[in-house]
Amino acid sequence: MITTQYAPYGETRELLAAGKAALDAAFEPEPTFLGRKEPGVAKALAADISPPAG
């Protein structure tokens, strides 16, 4: 149990933040255009990382 004088403020703030997060998740649209596809991750995953022969 929190015994400081600021406990009601903190609890109220957390409750309002949780409500806002729920509304944002429900009503914010997903982005439709994310830009150019970045090939860096695919290149890194496809790269040959074995040591050179010799």
Side-chain angles (χ1 to χ4, degrees):
M1 179 173 174
I2 301 174
T3 58
T4 65
Q5 64 185 1
Y6 301 110
Y9 169 74
E11 292 171 1
T12 302
R13 182 176 56 105
E14 291 295 325
L15 182 63
L16 292 174
K20 182 183 181 310
L23 289 174
D24 285 347
F27 296 112
E28 288 291 318
E30 291 294 319
T32 56
F33 178 69
L34 299 177
R36 243 181 29 232
K37 185 174 180 179
E38 171 58 47
V41 173
K43 282 183 180 179
L45 291 174
D48 182 18
I49 58 170
S50 60

